[in-house]
Amino acid sequence: MREALDGKPDEPIRVGVLGARGRMGAEVCRAVDGTDDLDLVAAVDEGDELSAVADAGARVVVDFTTPDAVMDNLRWCVDQGIHAVVGTTGFTGQRLDQVRDWLSDRPGVGVVIAPNFGIGAVLMMQFAARAARFFESVEIIEQHHPRKLDAPSGTATYTARAIARARAEAGLGPAPDATKDEVPGARGAEIDGVRVHAVRAAGLVAHQEVLFGTTGETLTIRHDSYDRVSFMPGVLLAVRSVVRRPGLTVGLDALLDDG
Amino acid sequence: MREALDGKPDEPIRVGVLGARGRMGAEVCRAVDGTDDLDLVAAVDEGDELSAVADAGARVVVDFTTPDAVMDNLRWCVDQGIHAVVGTTGFTGQRLDQVRDWLSDRPGVGVVIAPNFGIGAVLMMQFAARAARFFESVEIIEQHHPRKLDAPSGTATYTARAIARARAEAGLGPAPDATKDEVPGARGAEIDGVRVHAVRAAGLVAHQEVLFGTTGETLTIRHDSYDRVSFMPGVLLAVRSVVRRPGLTVGLDALLDDG
Amino acid sequence: MREALDGKPDEPIRVGVLGARGRMGAEVCRAVDGTDDLDLVAAVDEGDELSAVADAGARVVVDFTTPDAVMDNLRWCVDQGIHAVVGTTGFTGQRLDQVRDWLSDRPGVGVVIAPNFGIGAVLMMQFAARAARFFESVEIIEQHHPRKLDAPSGTATYTARAIARARAEAGLGPAPDATKDEVPGARGAEIDGVRVHAVRAAGLVAHQEVLFGTTGETLTIRHDSYDRVSFMPGVLLAVRSVVRRPGLTVGLDALLDDG
Amino acid sequence: MREALDGKPDEPIRVGVLGARGRMGAEVCRAVDGTDDLDLVAAVDEGDELSAVADAGARVVVDFTTPDAVMDNLRWCVDQGIHAVVGTTGFTGQRLDQVRDWLSDRPGVGVVIAPNFGIGAVLMMQFAARAARFFESVEIIEQHHPRKLDAPSGTATYTARAIARARAEAGLGPAPDATKDEVPGARGAEIDGVRVHAVRAAGLVAHQEVLFGTTGETLTIRHDSYDRVSFMPGVLLAVRSVVRRPGLTVGLDALLDDG
């Protein structure tokens, strides 16, 4: 394990990107390049040697590869004492346990694994969970481009579950609804008791609205995402945070409180 | 038939209200009172004599009574040569034919019957029908208080049908939608092929959004109604128009072009 | 001081209302009446004796009176060992210090003074302050009925200041803005460096939108208030909380975390 | 003049693009290629010969070049009997007169010149002008990326003027506004008496909302544009329409009624 990896406080953090030729990886390279406090020192993809990352002195690796490749990459990073920020999907509870196990032997190394690097989306979910217990009614309206295969979106389902948990903890029963005469589907899908409506239209990208209501007032939290570059501020935040966060961190939520 | 009913151009129009103690009728009385160009000369309700209206020299009657009473009222108005604006519900095709028949004997008398006096709602429906053929995608999201019994609302259903007609005339097929994995209801109800989502929450009153989308852009038409006073501008418009519109007019649409 | 005021955990809380014939006070009476866990035991207004409240065994007083009357009322409540929830305006720092001073002699008594009992509005401001440091851009758009005298609204000004503080703490500079050619006023008012736009239109009630933006995404927090009944859930929350909150609490924020 | 240019009804329309390597021109090439009823037969740019367009048998030319080049191009198209759709800017009244003059000698040739090919934006402006006379209040809120130099946007200014004309024709006075205490700029810019607010934030692209209000209701027309591809449906509509529209047509409005 190389002590040098911890760097000096005001030196740029040296960053290597795995999956650098993929769509997300390429954006990460551009985003790192555009900062003053991070240095892109290695950009590797399939066929390249991982050792290039260590040779370049990377202190943090960002991994946007594939579920097949990511575990080997992570094992190697932890062994090398290189912190890792991971956006690759496919992390089961078993995989997370495996990463924790590896990290237990390397107490100084940090790994951040996040299913969604959109800071706006993460804040929306946090705010929704927090507001939930103050409003008798809540519904979710998500809006996406018409090429999307699932309805509702994963983010909407995740939000609905977080809201349902908060309502249950607060002892709230079902939201009021006198509907007697419904054309099938009009009232949306029910996810843990929360109604979710999925709109699909050309021209849309990825949008979600959480509508809370109580006597005489409503509170709406809306997130609009137009581009995969919207994930870059979250990736950069994770790169800056992971060097101060030994062990495994799952999700951006905790990092948002780091400042 | 009294010639005097036609009045002079710059004299206030004398107005009588039937159902004057009901919620809508009372609002109409207040609204007429609040204008400079209309005079409230009679306010009658169940138990009062209709003749009071004629005695007061009313030139226009506004009827917000009940389906049981309205046909007798209308018959009497037409006989008296008094123009009528009707917001009472329950008008079947047969009833409309009956009114046309009565009016054929009184060529100078006008009757306006409208299911919705909200100018904003009527414009929303007109704009939606007009925009329909330029966008490959369209969905309707209506939002109401949770005491509402039907989902979707009558206005949403009516709007969906108008859009479906316009799409058919333009030769548009179904809107694109790749959904394969749907939690039942997520994609809303289908009204003549148009997806409609009904949101119910405490704090809401009556709202509707029509979302059109095509490559790279969306157009949204939204109507928010907070109060039954929102129908009053439409009622006043009808009162001012009916004196220049002999025969039967159904719906506010035509009046909106009178200016 | 009457020990009995602390009651038993599952007995209804006995509530007295001061200013009970005013618009807000009357709503509070109705709201308390509509609950299972609160009992309206006294409703007094100008000309009535305060002692009626004590005679009725009120454990909590709600005060929506006037700046002239409120300090005497509060002094009396604290002396009697009755908790107080205060929506009356006009509390300067000096007045708050006076209340704290009175309370120091009565360690078991709680007083909650809040400038805004709208839970949705309070959450909006909390969320806005929390989101502020994650977005390079932020603007506020408030929308009110056209009879409003001030622009922007007090809530918008308060929100802008809270956002400005959070941005300063996070070391954020001014939001990006390349505007060179501006029709005067187009870019809104500047409150501590945050742009605020005030829309005035018939049909509106009281609405506010806080729009945050960063690369490729926006987050919007919107509050719509339709009616003064929207303040009642906040008043009821304060009544239930004050019995467990000795000392002075200013603003609803702290109560929102009580659960 | 080549008679063959008029083609047969069910043959694809042969299209040439001038300025084909510019950003808009390249999009037009892609858009034409993506249709069944249009054939891209020539794509020329600076340095290429215009004659390539005629040689390829183009029946319609689309011009997204520069104010310097466009008049020569148009002159040549009209001479050749080739219809033209023009998105190039810089058309003064004098230039339009010149084009009309050329066309008077070629009665079968059509030219469409439009400052904005976004169908959604054009419909928004049409609907706004139509709704204007039914609402006592109206304000415009436009929202753009922070690199924009002018505030408000040209589209907002154009919309405000159209609304002001419609209000004047309907005899409407100023919108109600009791504001007495205004932080400078809070109430926006005044364009012909219509208040316009310009929001600038990272993450935004190009958005505009027109808010109409009257007693108890509001009507909102909103346009969101995410991408220059949003202009393509308007360009394709113009290509299909121009072959049936001899003479000069300015703006998309008229074409929207062609079907």
Side-chain angles (χ1 to χ4, degrees):
Chain A
M1 194 164 68
R2 301 178 317 180
E3 294 305 319
L5 293 184
D6 284 347
K8 294 181 193 162
D10 36 7
E11 259 181 24
I13 301 174
R14 301 173 70 83
V15 179
V17 175
L18 309 188
R21 290 195 296 271
R23 290 192 306 182
M24 285 297 288
E27 286 293 349
V28 173
C29 292
R30 263 192 292 278
V32 170
D33 254 353
T35 68
D36 290 332
D37 62 331
L38 308 179
D39 256 6
L40 180 67
V41 296
V44 313
D45 210 312
E46 231 186 333
D48 301 332
E49 290 293 324
L50 270 183
S51 57
V53 173
D55 295 347
R59 196 174 153 210
V60 177
V61 146
V62 179
D63 186 303
F64 277 95
T65 59
T66 64
D68 284 352
V70 68
M71 290 303 281
D72 286 346
N73 293 345
L74 262 177
R75 170 91 223 218
W76 180 87
C77 286
V78 175
D79 280 350
Q80 298 284 324
I82 302 176
H83 310 293
V85 170
V86 184
T88 307
T89 56
F91 276 85
T92 58
Q94 205 179 348
R95 285 190 158 200
L96 294 175
D97 285 343
Q98 174 67 78
V99 175
R100 273 187 205 100
D101 190 48
W102 293 335
L103 284 166
S104 64
D105 296 335
R106 291 278 185 275
V109 179
V111 171
V112 173
I113 299 176
N116 189 334
F117 277 97
I119 288 177
V122 171
L123 287 174
M124 173 182 62
M125 289 185 270
Q126 282 189 356
F127 294 164
R130 171 147 171 74
R133 67 195 174 91
F134 300 110
F135 292 89
E136 54 186 308
S137 295
V138 57
E139 306 216 348
I140 297 173
I141 303 141
E142 56 93 328
Q143 309 192 333
H144 283 85
H145 57 83
R147 301 173 307 284
K148 191 168 177 57
L149 300 178
D150 54 328
S153 70
T155 299
T157 301
Y158 186 95
T159 310
R161 291 200 170 128
I163 288 169
R165 272 194 306 275
R167 286 176 68 91
E169 277 165 26
L172 287 175
D177 183 359
T179 309
K180 283 204 173 145
D181 177 16
E182 181 190 359
V183 179
R187 292 286 293 112
E190 215 172 333
I191 306 284
D192 288 5
V194 176
R195 297 283 178 169
V196 182
H197 309 268
V199 175
R200 297 291 173 265
L204 293 173
V205 187
H207 318 262
Q208 181 172 308
E209 214 171 281
V210 186
L211 173 75
F212 291 100
T214 187
T215 320
E217 66 171 341
T218 58
L219 178 70
T220 307
I221 303 165
R222 180 180 173 109
H223 182 243
D224 295 275
S225 172
Y226 299 118
D227 199 323
R228 77 178 65 92
V229 299
S230 71
F231 299 119
M232 293 308 116
V235 171
L236 300 181
L237 172 69
V239 169
R240 289 171 185 130
S241 296
V242 73
V243 301
R244 297 190 310 267
R245 291 200 145 256
L248 176 63
T249 304
V250 178
L252 272 197
D253 293 69
L255 307 189
L256 295 185
D257 294 318
D258 283 3
Chain B
M1 197 164 65
R2 302 179 318 182
E3 293 306 319
L5 293 183
D6 285 345
K8 293 178 191 165
D10 36 8
E11 258 181 25
I13 302 174
R14 300 172 71 84
V15 179
V17 175
L18 309 188
R21 290 194 297 271
R23 291 192 306 180
M24 286 296 291
E27 286 293 349
V28 173
C29 292
R30 264 191 292 278
V32 168
D33 254 354
T35 68
D36 290 333
D37 62 332
L38 308 179
D39 256 4
L40 181 67
V41 296
V44 314
D45 209 314
E46 232 186 331
D48 302 331
E49 290 293 324
L50 268 183
S51 57
V53 173
D55 295 347
R59 195 173 153 211
V60 177
V61 146
V62 180
D63 186 303
F64 278 94
T65 59
T66 65
D68 283 352
V70 67
M71 291 302 281
D72 286 346
N73 293 345
L74 261 178
R75 171 90 222 218
W76 180 86
C77 287
V78 174
D79 279 351
Q80 297 285 324
I82 302 178
H83 310 292
V85 170
V86 183
T88 307
T89 57
F91 276 85
T92 58
Q94 205 179 350
R95 284 190 158 200
L96 295 174
D97 285 343
Q98 174 68 76
V99 175
R100 273 187 206 100
D101 190 49
W102 292 336
L103 285 166
S104 63
D105 296 336
R106 290 280 184 272
V109 179
V111 172
V112 172
I113 299 176
N116 189 335
F117 278 97
I119 288 177
V122 171
L123 287 174
M124 173 182 61
M125 289 186 271
Q126 282 189 354
F127 294 164
R130 170 147 171 76
R133 66 193 174 91
F134 300 110
F135 293 89
E136 53 186 309
S137 295
V138 58
E139 306 215 349
I140 297 173
I141 304 142
E142 56 94 329
Q143 310 192 332
H144 284 84
H145 58 83
R147 300 173 306 284
K148 191 167 178 58
L149 300 177
D150 54 327
S153 69
T155 298
T157 301
Y158 187 95
T159 310
R161 290 199 171 127
I163 289 170
R165 272 195 306 275
R167 287 177 67 91
E169 277 165 27
L172 286 174
D177 183 359
T179 309
K180 284 206 171 143
D181 177 15
E182 181 191 0
V183 180
R187 292 285 294 113
E190 215 171 332
I191 305 283
D192 288 5
V194 175
R195 297 282 178 169
V196 183
H197 309 268
V199 175
R200 297 291 173 266
L204 292 173
V205 187
H207 318 262
Q208 181 171 308
E209 214 170 281
V210 186
L211 172 75
F212 292 100
T214 186
T215 319
E217 65 171 342
T218 58
L219 178 71
T220 308
I221 303 164
R222 181 181 173 108
H223 182 244
D224 295 274
S225 173
Y226 299 118
D227 199 322
R228 77 178 66 90
V229 298
S230 72
F231 299 119
M232 292 309 115
V235 171
L236 299 182
L237 173 69
V239 169
R240 289 170 184 130
S241 296
V242 73
V243 299
R244 298 189 310 265
R245 290 197 145 260
L248 176 62
T249 305
V250 179
L252 272 197
D253 293 70
L255 306 189
L256 294 185
D257 294 320
D258 282 2
Chain C
M1 194 163 66
R2 302 179 315 182
E3 293 305 318
L5 293 183
D6 284 346
K8 294 180 192 164
D10 35 9
E11 258 180 25
I13 302 174
R14 301 172 70 83
V15 179
V17 176
L18 309 187
R21 290 194 297 272
R23 290 191 307 179
M24 286 296 290
E27 285 292 350
V28 173
C29 292
R30 263 192 292 278
V32 169
D33 254 353
T35 67
D36 290 332
D37 62 332
L38 308 178
D39 256 6
L40 181 68
V41 297
V44 313
D45 210 314
E46 232 187 331
D48 300 331
E49 290 293 324
L50 269 183
S51 57
V53 173
D55 295 347
R59 194 174 154 212
V60 178
V61 146
V62 180
D63 186 302
F64 277 95
T65 59
T66 64
D68 283 351
V70 68
M71 290 303 281
D72 286 345
N73 293 345
L74 260 177
R75 171 90 223 219
W76 179 86
C77 286
V78 173
D79 280 350
Q80 297 285 326
I82 302 177
H83 310 292
V85 170
V86 183
T88 307
T89 57
F91 276 86
T92 57
Q94 205 179 348
R95 285 189 158 202
L96 293 174
D97 284 343
Q98 174 66 79
V99 176
R100 271 187 205 98
D101 190 48
W102 293 335
L103 284 166
S104 64
D105 296 336
R106 290 279 185 274
V109 179
V111 171
V112 172
I113 298 177
N116 189 335
F117 278 97
I119 289 178
V122 172
L123 288 173
M124 173 181 62
M125 288 185 271
Q126 282 189 355
F127 294 165
R130 170 146 171 76
R133 66 193 174 91
F134 300 111
F135 293 88
E136 55 187 306
S137 295
V138 58
E139 306 215 350
I140 297 174
I141 305 142
E142 57 93 327
Q143 309 191 334
H144 284 85
H145 57 84
R147 300 172 306 285
K148 190 167 179 59
L149 300 178
D150 53 329
S153 70
T155 299
T157 300
Y158 187 96
T159 310
R161 291 199 171 128
I163 288 170
R165 273 194 306 274
R167 286 177 68 92
E169 278 165 26
L172 287 174
D177 182 359
T179 308
K180 284 204 171 145
D181 177 15
E182 181 190 0
V183 180
R187 293 285 294 110
E190 215 172 333
I191 306 284
D192 288 5
V194 176
R195 296 283 178 169
V196 182
H197 310 267
V199 175
R200 296 291 173 267
L204 292 173
V205 187
H207 318 261
Q208 182 172 309
E209 213 170 280
V210 186
L211 172 75
F212 291 100
T214 186
T215 320
E217 64 171 343
T218 58
L219 178 71
T220 308
I221 303 165
R222 181 181 173 108
H223 181 244
D224 295 274
S225 173
Y226 300 118
D227 199 324
R228 76 179 65 93
V229 299
S230 72
F231 299 119
M232 293 308 117
V235 172
L236 299 181
L237 172 69
V239 169
R240 289 170 184 131
S241 296
V242 73
V243 299
R244 297 189 310 266
R245 290 199 145 258
L248 177 63
T249 304
V250 178
L252 272 198
D253 293 69
L255 307 189
L256 295 185
D257 294 318
D258 283 2
Chain D
M1 196 164 64
R2 301 179 317 180
E3 293 306 319
L5 293 182
D6 283 347
K8 293 177 193 167
D10 35 8
E11 258 181 25
I13 300 175
R14 301 173 70 86
V15 179
V17 175
L18 309 187
R21 289 194 297 271
R23 290 192 308 180
M24 286 297 290
E27 286 293 349
V28 173
C29 292
R30 265 192 292 279
V32 169
D33 254 353
T35 66
D36 290 333
D37 62 332
L38 308 179
D39 257 5
L40 180 67
V41 297
V44 314
D45 210 314
E46 230 186 331
D48 302 331
E49 291 293 324
L50 269 183
S51 57
V53 173
D55 295 346
R59 194 173 153 210
V60 178
V61 145
V62 180
D63 186 301
F64 277 95
T65 60
T66 64
D68 283 352
V70 67
M71 291 302 281
D72 287 345
N73 293 345
L74 261 177
R75 171 88 222 220
W76 179 86
C77 287
V78 174
D79 279 350
Q80 297 285 324
I82 302 178
H83 310 292
V85 170
V86 183
T88 307
T89 56
F91 276 85
T92 57
Q94 205 179 349
R95 283 190 160 202
L96 294 175
D97 285 343
Q98 174 68 77
V99 176
R100 272 186 205 99
D101 190 48
W102 292 335
L103 284 166
S104 64
D105 296 335
R106 290 279 185 274
V109 179
V111 171
V112 173
I113 299 176
N116 189 335
F117 278 98
I119 289 178
V122 171
L123 287 173
M124 174 182 61
M125 288 185 271
Q126 282 189 354
F127 294 165
R130 170 146 171 76
R133 66 193 174 90
F134 300 110
F135 293 88
E136 55 186 306
S137 295
V138 58
E139 304 215 349
I140 297 173
I141 305 142
E142 56 93 330
Q143 310 190 333
H144 283 85
H145 57 84
R147 300 173 306 286
K148 191 167 177 58
L149 300 178
D150 53 328
S153 69
T155 299
T157 300
Y158 186 96
T159 310
R161 291 200 170 128
I163 288 170
R165 272 194 307 274
R167 286 177 68 92
E169 277 165 26
L172 287 174
D177 182 359
T179 308
K180 284 207 173 143
D181 177 15
E182 180 190 359
V183 180
R187 293 284 295 112
E190 214 170 334
I191 306 283
D192 288 6
V194 176
R195 296 282 178 169
V196 182
H197 309 268
V199 176
R200 296 291 173 265
L204 292 173
V205 188
H207 318 262
Q208 182 173 309
E209 214 170 280
V210 186
L211 172 76
F212 292 101
T214 186
T215 320
E217 64 172 342
T218 57
L219 178 70
T220 308
I221 302 166
R222 180 180 174 108
H223 182 244
D224 295 274
S225 173
Y226 300 117
D227 199 323
R228 76 178 66 91
V229 299
S230 72
F231 299 119
M232 293 308 116
V235 171
L236 299 182
L237 172 69
V239 169
R240 288 170 185 131
S241 296
V242 72
V243 300
R244 297 189 310 267
R245 288 198 146 260
L248 176 63
T249 305
V250 178
L252 272 196
D253 293 68
L255 306 190
L256 294 185
D257 294 319
D258 283 1

